């Protein structure tokens, strides 16, 4: 796991390019397996591009497990990444905590499900602000976004503010967004998905 970085602790990355990495399991560039850090943002990634990475599992560019901490991504691009499982660009699995994505572009990625972004787990809470999910492809469900919450938890939240999901495609259901036991969505523009 983790073509470039396998982390079991807090990570911080700024102003970087992570490109052409390969992982046989999760996280083409980064696999972050979560931490119990008390820091406000245990994992923080800013001003970074993830380009043409490959995962033989989930998360073509990033596979993040959110446990007790919060995750913060801002000014991020994930372009041309691929995963054989969930989340061609980014895969986020929630055990606890929250994730905030600001000014994130998830474009031209592909996966079995969640071509651009996959969100799964127990009571996920993901805020997407000023972000775009565009031109991604899923061979199964969720061309842009696959949002799957555990059936045994309270409904999860996907909060969008100036959030655009466009021109994505899926081989089965949800060209733009495929959601199960999930979705409280506001402030989103969803268009031209197949």
């Amino acid at each position: 796991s983790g073509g470039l970085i396998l982390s079991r602790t807090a990570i911080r990355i700024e102003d970087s390019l992570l490109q052409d990495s390969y992982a046989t399991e999760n996280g083409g560039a980064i696999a972050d397996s979560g931490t119990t850090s008390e820091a406000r943002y245990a994992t923080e990634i800013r001003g970074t591009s993830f380009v043409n990475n490959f995962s033989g599992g989930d998360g073509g560019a990033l596979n993040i497990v959110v446990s007790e901490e919060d995750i913060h991504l801002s000014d991020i691009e994930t372009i041309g990444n691929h995963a054989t499982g969930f989340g061609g660009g980014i895969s986020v699995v929630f055990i606890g905590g929250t994730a905030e994505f600001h000014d994130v572009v998830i474009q031209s990625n592909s996966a079995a499900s969640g071509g651009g972004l996959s969100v799964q787990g127990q009571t996920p809470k993901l805020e997407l602000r000023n972000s775009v999910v565009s031109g991604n492809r899923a061979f199964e469900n969720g061309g842009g976004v696959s949002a799957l919450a555990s059936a045994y938890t309270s409904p999860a939240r996907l909060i969008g503010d100036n959030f655009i999901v466009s021109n994505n495609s899926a081989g089965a259901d949800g060209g733009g967004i495929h959601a199960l036991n999930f979705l409280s969505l506001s402030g989103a523009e969803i268009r031209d998905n197949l």
Side-chain angles (χ1 to χ4, degrees):
S1 295
L4 287 179
I5 299 169
L6 170 60
S7 174
R8 292 185 177 88
T9 186
I11 59 173
R12 178 168 291 177
I13 298 172
E14 294 187 36
D15 303 323
S16 299
L17 171 64
L18 286 77
Q19 183 172 0
D20 298 326
S21 297
Y22 177 94
T24 56
E25 297 180 8
N26 298 330
I30 296 175
D32 180 359
S33 61
T35 177
T36 58
S37 169
E38 294 180 3
R40 172 67 179 115
Y41 295 118
T43 291
E44 189 166 2
I45 303 173
R46 298 177 181 273
T48 296
S49 296
F50 297 85
V51 181
N52 296 330
N53 300 288
F54 174 87
S55 166
D58 299 337
L62 283 154
N63 183 72
I64 300 171
V65 176
V66 183
S67 52
E68 297 177 15
E69 80 286 8
D70 294 344
I71 304 294
H72 186 81
L73 274 62
S74 63
D75 192 21
I76 300 294
E77 294 180 325
T78 64
I79 299 172
N81 303 283
H82 177 73
T84 61
F86 288 89
I90 302 172
S91 172
V92 185
V93 178
F94 284 84
I95 298 171
T98 64
E100 298 178 3
F101 292 5
H102 296 178
D103 301 300
V104 173
V105 175
I106 301 173
Q107 182 176 332
S108 302
N109 304 284
S110 61
S113 291
L117 170 65
S118 170
V119 182
Q120 304 178 64
Q122 303 172 20
T123 320
K125 181 183 177 186
L126 174 61
E127 297 183 9
L128 292 138
R129 304 196 184 282
N130 302 320
S131 295
V132 176
V133 178
S134 180
N136 302 285
R137 171 155 175 74
F139 300 101
E140 297 173 12
N141 301 319
V145 179
S146 173
L148 307 174
S150 168
Y152 303 105
T153 64
S154 59
R157 290 180 288 171
L158 179 61
I159 302 166
D161 180 13
N162 193 24
F163 172 47
I164 298 170
V165 180
S166 67
N167 298 300
N168 302 285
S169 62
D173 298 325
I177 298 175
H178 179 254
L180 178 65
N181 298 321
F182 196 114
L183 210 58
S184 170
L185 185 61
S186 61
E189 179 180 340
I190 302 172
R191 57 179 167 78
D192 301 323
N193 299 286
L194 298 173

